[in-house]
Amino acid sequence: MAQVKLTVTRGKPHIKDIAVAAGTPITGSDAMELNIDQTKMSKGDALVMIDGLRAKIFASPWPLS
């Protein structure tokens, strides 16, 4: 799968809790997008979740699927 979507939820930043699904194409190749719903989220929450995404990518086989 050329595009993947990683979903992490506030309060569940652990590798086992991060979902991997098919993503949608982004204009231009070799790009990433990060959408944050910060309605009830602190900056610290967002950074913990980003660290979780990093850990998921690091621990998973490449390319992600």
Side-chain angles (χ1 to χ4, degrees), residues 31-63:
M32 293 176 64
E33 291 181 340
L34 177 63
N35 295 317
I36 301 174
D37 179 349
Q38 55 189 8
T39 306
K40 296 180 180 180
M41 186 184 304
S42 70
K43 184 189 282 187
D45 290 333
L47 293 172
V48 167
M49 293 165 72
I50 290 168
D51 284 344
L53 292 172
R54 187 202 64 76
K56 178 72 171 191
I57 292 169
F58 185 78
S60 298
W62 194 262

Side-chain angles (χ1 to χ4, degrees), residues 3-48:
Q3 296 88 19
V4 295
K5 176 181 177 181
L6 300 169
T7 304
V8 59
T9 304
R10 186 169 59 104
K12 296 182 179 181
H14 308 289
I15 291 173
K16 65 180 179 63
D17 299 319
I18 297 173
V20 179
T24 55
I26 302 170
T27 303
S29 61
D30 299 327
M32 293 176 64
E33 291 181 340
L34 177 63
N35 295 317
I36 301 174
D37 179 349
Q38 55 189 8
T39 306
K40 296 180 180 180
M41 186 184 304
S42 70
K43 184 189 282 187
D45 290 333
L47 293 172
V48 167

